[in-house]
Amino acid sequence: GKSEIGFAHVTTAKLKVAHAVLAEGYEILFTDSDIVWLQHDVVEHVHRMLRVTGPDPTLDAVFMCDTAALDKERTPPALRINSGFYLMSSNPRTMSLLDPKELDSILQHNAEDRTAREGKSVLNDQNYLRGKLGQPSSRVRFDTLPLDDYANG
């Protein structure tokens, strides 16, 4: 119901902020407030491990994994992502992924869809990203972090 829709408004806003940061040419590291960092060089570690930065980066984004290791092989890559922790580089692919006009469609859906108002089909940032990254037309190169090193809640 209303609390889920309110949560979706907050998560949509964080994607819009991420877009604004990317638009300035910066990378963004997003972490939910319930993420605990056990080492101080997390960003450097993620960069080294998955080569997100550089003149020809291998990936556009890396996300925390939301899938148990045993299910990872059976779960489509886009459905593995957890939007609670990610590193994203600034480029046309990621800018398109976080297009503010498309993000507004989340709010429109939640306002107009009866099942969303009942709390049954509320769109939030994670569902939005999973849907966009799972489209055959998506050109965003992404991966998930190893669950052993970056456990989810």
Side-chain angles (χ1 to χ4, degrees), residues 16-117:
K16 287 183 175 185
V17 170
H19 182 273
V21 171
L22 295 174
E24 293 295 321
Y26 296 104
E27 292 177 338
I28 187 162
L29 173 70
F30 178 85
T31 178
D32 277 347
S33 61
D34 62 349
I35 301 292
V36 177
W37 293 24
L38 298 178
Q39 59 188 75
H40 67 282
D41 62 345
V42 170
V43 177
E44 292 82 6
H45 183 250
V46 173
H47 279 152
R48 282 191 311 270
M49 188 172 59
L50 294 170
R51 298 178 306 192
V52 174
T53 61
D56 185 23
T58 304
L59 298 170
D60 300 314
V62 291
F63 295 87
M64 180 172 25
C65 187
D66 204 33
T67 305
L70 295 174
D71 294 331
K72 192 171 181 180
E73 296 302 317
R74 296 187 302 245
T75 305
L79 296 182
R80 295 179 199 157
I81 71 152
N82 182 313
S83 62
F85 180 87
Y86 61 86
L87 177 66
M88 193 174 291
S89 60
S90 175
N91 62 46
R93 291 179 297 274
T94 57
M95 294 292 293
S96 176
L97 175 67
L98 301 182
D99 181 346
K101 290 179 184 167
E102 288 195 38
L103 294 173
D104 285 339
S105 69
I106 294 174
L107 304 177
Q108 191 71 24
H109 165 83
N110 291 336
E112 294 178 355
D113 186 270
R114 179 185 55 78
T115 58
R117 289 193 310 271

Side-chain angles (χ1 to χ4, degrees), residues 116-130:
R117 289 193 310 271
E118 294 171 357
K120 296 176 184 167
S121 67
V122 174
L123 290 177
N124 59 37
D125 62 327
Q126 187 161 290
N127 296 337
Y128 171 83
L129 289 170
R130 285 176 172 179

